[in-house]
Amino acid sequence: MTIVRIPAGWPASEEEARAAQDELRGRVVLDEPGPPPGTGRVTGVDVAYDDERGVVAAAAVVLDAATLDVLAEATAVGEVSFPYVPGLLAFREVPTVLAALDALDRDPGLVVCDGYGLAHPRRFGLASHLGVLTGLPTIGVAKNPFTFTYEEPDRPRGSTSPLLAGPDEVGRAVRTQAGVKPVFVSVGHRVGLDRACAHTLALAPRYRLPESTRRADALCRRTLKETVGRAGAPS
DNA sequence: GCGACAG
DNA sequence: ATCTTGTCGC
C-alpha cells in the first residue's frame, strides 16, 4: 500500500493552520437539514497514530443507516501531517482520512467524525473541515466536552442538554445510554443539529459511541498494527 | 502570566 | 491519541 504524503502547501505552523481555518470557515453550509436519520448510508471515520514513527492509519466504514450493517470499508496509511494542538486537530487527520474516503467503492452518505464540527474555538473543527473539503454532509461526535460547558442531561437514553460556548449553543450533550456519560454532538457541514443528534442516537442502540465510530476505530487500530508491526517489532 | 484543552 | 492487568458484570 502507498503512503499518503503530506500535501504540498500543507500548513507547517500553527499560525498558517489557523489562517487556513479562517479562510475555509466561510464555506461551511449550515442551512440544510441533512439526510433523514435511519435512511441511506452513514460512514464512520477515525485514525490511529504511532507518533514514534510518524505514522497514521485512517479507516472509513460505511454502514446501512437502517440496519447498521457494514456495507463497505477502506483504509489509508500516511505520514503524520501535524502535531496535536487543541483546535488544530484536523491538520493531523485530514489528509489520510480523505484518502480512506476516496478508496471507498460507494458514496459515503453522512460522515460521522470523531471530534467536533462547529463546537470549536474558531467554529471550524474537524467535521466542518472534512465537510468543506469533500462536500459531504458531516457531523462530529466527541467523547469529551473540550473547553465547553454543559449541564448533565437527564438519565434516560435520548436526553440532551446544550453544549455551550458562553451563551451560544455550539452542540449538544447526548445521552446515548441510560446513566452513561453523554457524547458531545456538533454540526459539521450540511446537517442541522437536531438531525445530527438523531443520527447519533440511531447509531448507538447498544453502546455509548456510535457504531460507525466503533467500527472505524477498530479498523484503523488494526491497520496501524499490521502496518507498523513488522518493521517495528522490538528485537 | 497560568492553566485547560477534540484526538 | 497512547501507555497497560486484572477485574467486575451482563
Side-chain angles (χ1 to χ4, degrees), chain A residues 49-170:
Chain A
Y49 298 96
D50 183 334
D51 277 302
E52 297 281 285
R53 300 187 176 77
V55 176
V56 52
V61 180
V62 184
L63 306 182
D64 181 303
T67 63
L68 305 189
D69 289 335
V70 176
L71 299 179
E73 298 180 335
T75 62
V77 175
E79 307 174 329
V80 170
S81 52
F82 211 82
Y84 172 66
V85 178
L88 300 177
L89 177 65
F91 295 94
R92 191 167 162 76
E93 313 210 330
V94 156
T96 315
V97 168
L98 286 178
L101 285 171
D102 279 345
L104 290 172
D105 60 12
R106 45 184 116 186
D107 187 279
L110 173 76
V111 176
V112 180
C113 301
D114 212 352
Y116 281 115
L118 280 195
H120 178 272
R122 286 168 296 283
R123 301 295 180 270
F124 194 70
L126 170 65
S128 300
H129 202 137
L130 206 54
V132 164
L133 263 38
T134 60
L136 297 168
T138 62
I139 66 173
V141 180
K143 299 181 282 297
N144 298 292
F146 198 14
T147 61
F148 306 105
T149 60
Y150 71 102
E151 304 218 325
E152 207 62 32
D154 292 335
R155 181 187 174 82
R157 166 179 149 83
S159 303
T160 70
S161 63
L163 185 65
L164 301 172
D168 305 326
E169 180 179 41
V170 293

Side-chain angles (χ1 to χ4, degrees), chain A residues 4 10 13 22 31 45-46 59 61 76-77 89 106 132 137 154-155 166-167 184-185 221 225 230 234:
Chain A
V4 177
W10 198 246
S13 69
D22 288 335
D31 59 3
V45 294
D46 194 20
V61 180
V77 175
L89 177 65
R106 45 184 116 186
V132 164
D154 292 335
R155 181 187 174 82
F184 304 91
V185 177
R221 287 198 205 199
K225 285 188 179 181
R230 194 174 332 127

